[in-house]
Amino acid sequence: MSYILDALRKADAERERGTVPGIHAQPMFAGASPAAPARAPRPWLWALVAAVGVALVAALLWALIGREAPRGAVAVAPPIAIAIA
């Protein structure tokens, strides 16, 4: 019986060591820490991303549309030489 009680106490002690503070737990402060400064928005970064995106779309369209054959061009077969002997 004492082995079982010892095992239960040991398991309970291990559970208590790794617990997360509950709702009613009081936080412990080591000292007042200064608040982190707010990051300023970076509109130039968004403008750069937009410019790169527009450039990629333009390059893709140019590559896809620019490969069409000219409308007036007609493929002509070379003349066949006939040997008369």
Side-chain angles (χ1 to χ4, degrees):
M1 182 82 161
S2 65
Y3 290 120
I4 296 172
L5 289 176
D6 289 338
L8 289 173
R9 286 184 190 135
K10 183 178 177 182
D12 193 33
E14 286 179 5
R15 248 186 270 122
E16 289 294 323
R17 273 188 252 146
T19 60
V20 178
I23 293 175
H24 302 292
Q26 295 293 323
M28 297 181 66
F29 294 100
S33 61
R39 294 183 69 177
R42 297 180 180 173
W44 59 269
L45 181 63
W46 290 109
L48 178 67
V49 168
V52 169
V54 168
L56 286 173
V57 169
L60 179 66
L61 288 175
W62 180 74
L64 292 176
I65 295 172
R67 293 184 183 221
E68 286 184 16
R71 295 187 189 261
V74 178
V76 178
I80 299 173
I82 300 175
I84 301 176

